[in-house]
Amino acid sequence: MFSEDDLIPVSGLQHVLFCERQLALIHVEQIWAENRFTEEGRVLHEHVDIEHHESRRLYKQEFAMGIRSLKLGLIGKCDLVEFYLDLNLNPFEVIPVEFKRGSKKIDDYDCVQVCAQAICLEEMLSLAIPRGQIYYLQEHRRTIIDLDRELREKTVFLIGKAREIIEKGITPVVEYNSKKCDRCSLFDLCMPKKTGAKSKNVDRYVRSQIRISQEMII
């Protein structure tokens, strides 16, 4: 079990999956910057958070619900959690719903976040949660996410990876990737082209020195 002081944010899992350097810049160096994508996402979540809670006799909604897992050391917030209740008003089905500004992605960035939310809710409620949902604003519909074994194992692995980076406190150097880097809000602060080039030069220099040493020995 982790203590309250050792919990890492659920949002960090998306960051480490997208880019390990981005995770370290945000959660180790405490650097943040907005761009159009993050601004639109922030406005969407603010709008969701102020929605009125809907409640019927056997159905309840909770917006901006705080969640945590002391077992895996996670803390965060669900955009929406839907509770379906039995006749004794006990939940028999719980569905975390994440709101996203864009459209469905090929990568697992959003799925991992929903899976982590479900894992937290399962611990809090002692209830199995086999699926979650993502509402994509651009598509104006929900996508059902099956929280299968493969996705859960990937999520648990990323939790460990994120924790390792944060606890080490070292910002990784990454290669410049135009598809990712050019749409990252931290692009100007990260300087991936310069750090990536520097990393290549250092690596090349080290290899050359090893080769020279080996030739001298021979």
Side-chain angles (χ1 to χ4, degrees):
M1 289 292 206
F2 290 90
S3 69
E4 295 281 355
D5 296 331
D6 294 328
L7 305 183
I8 63 174
V10 170
S11 60
L13 304 185
Q14 277 195 311
H15 297 148
V16 73
L17 184 57
F18 180 77
C19 174
E20 293 182 7
R21 182 173 175 82
Q22 185 193 68
L23 171 79
L25 289 172
I26 294 172
H27 297 285
V28 175
E29 300 189 23
Q30 303 294 308
I31 294 174
W32 178 249
E34 293 272 18
N35 64 6
R36 179 174 64 87
F37 303 113
T38 59
E39 177 70 17
E40 290 176 354
R42 182 179 60 80
V43 171
L44 171 62
H45 284 86
E46 288 177 352
H47 177 72
V48 170
D49 289 349
I50 63 175
E51 290 285 344
H52 296 293
H53 296 193
E54 180 181 348
S55 181
R56 300 192 295 271
R57 184 170 184 272
L58 301 179
Y59 173 77
K60 183 173 67 172
Q61 288 180 319
E62 286 292 341
F63 289 89
M65 179 177 172
I67 55 173
R68 71 174 184 179
S69 168
L70 296 180
K71 182 179 179 180
L72 294 177
L74 286 178
I75 190 168
K77 183 185 293 186
C78 290
D79 288 338
L80 169 64
V81 181
E82 296 182 327
F83 295 86
Y84 294 86
L85 313 175
D86 60 23
L87 295 178
N88 294 319
L89 302 184
N90 296 315
F92 68 88
E93 183 176 13
V94 176
I95 300 177
V97 184
E98 180 70 13
F99 289 77
K100 295 296 181 182
R101 52 163 292 280
S103 57
K104 184 178 179 180
K105 303 174 182 64
I106 298 177
D107 300 299
D108 287 336
Y109 305 134
D110 301 335
C111 298
V112 164
Q113 186 173 0
V114 173
C115 186
Q117 292 173 358
I119 290 173
C120 291
L121 288 167
E122 286 177 332
E123 182 178 320
M124 294 169 60
L125 303 172
S126 299
L127 181 71
I129 301 177
R131 58 186 174 273
Q133 296 181 358
I134 302 174
Y135 176 82
Y136 289 102
L137 183 62
Q138 189 171 319
E139 298 177 353
H140 297 289
R141 65 183 180 87
R142 295 188 184 190
T143 296
I144 297 174
I145 307 299
D146 291 323
L147 307 177
D148 56 23
R149 179 177 178 179
E150 182 179 356
L151 180 58
R152 287 173 182 270
E153 289 178 348
K154 183 174 186 176
T155 301
V156 172
F157 170 79
L158 290 171
I159 293 170
K161 188 64 177 179
R163 181 173 299 281
E164 178 186 359
I165 293 172
I166 292 173
E167 289 182 349
K168 283 185 176 179
I170 299 175
T171 302
V173 175
V174 299
E175 298 289 341
Y176 171 71
N177 183 327
S178 60
K179 292 183 179 180
K180 288 186 176 182
C181 296
D182 292 348
R183 57 191 177 95
C184 177
S185 65
L186 303 181
F187 181 86
D188 293 333
L189 299 172
C190 174
M191 297 183 293
K193 292 182 178 179
K194 294 183 179 179
T195 56
K198 182 178 179 181
S199 175
K200 289 181 180 179
N201 293 336
V202 170
D203 187 55
R204 190 180 303 114
Y205 171 77
V206 171
R207 288 200 303 269
S208 68
Q209 295 304 303
I210 293 174
R211 185 173 62 254
I212 292 172
S213 300
Q214 291 173 339
E215 290 173 354
M216 291 177 64
I217 293 174
I218 296 173

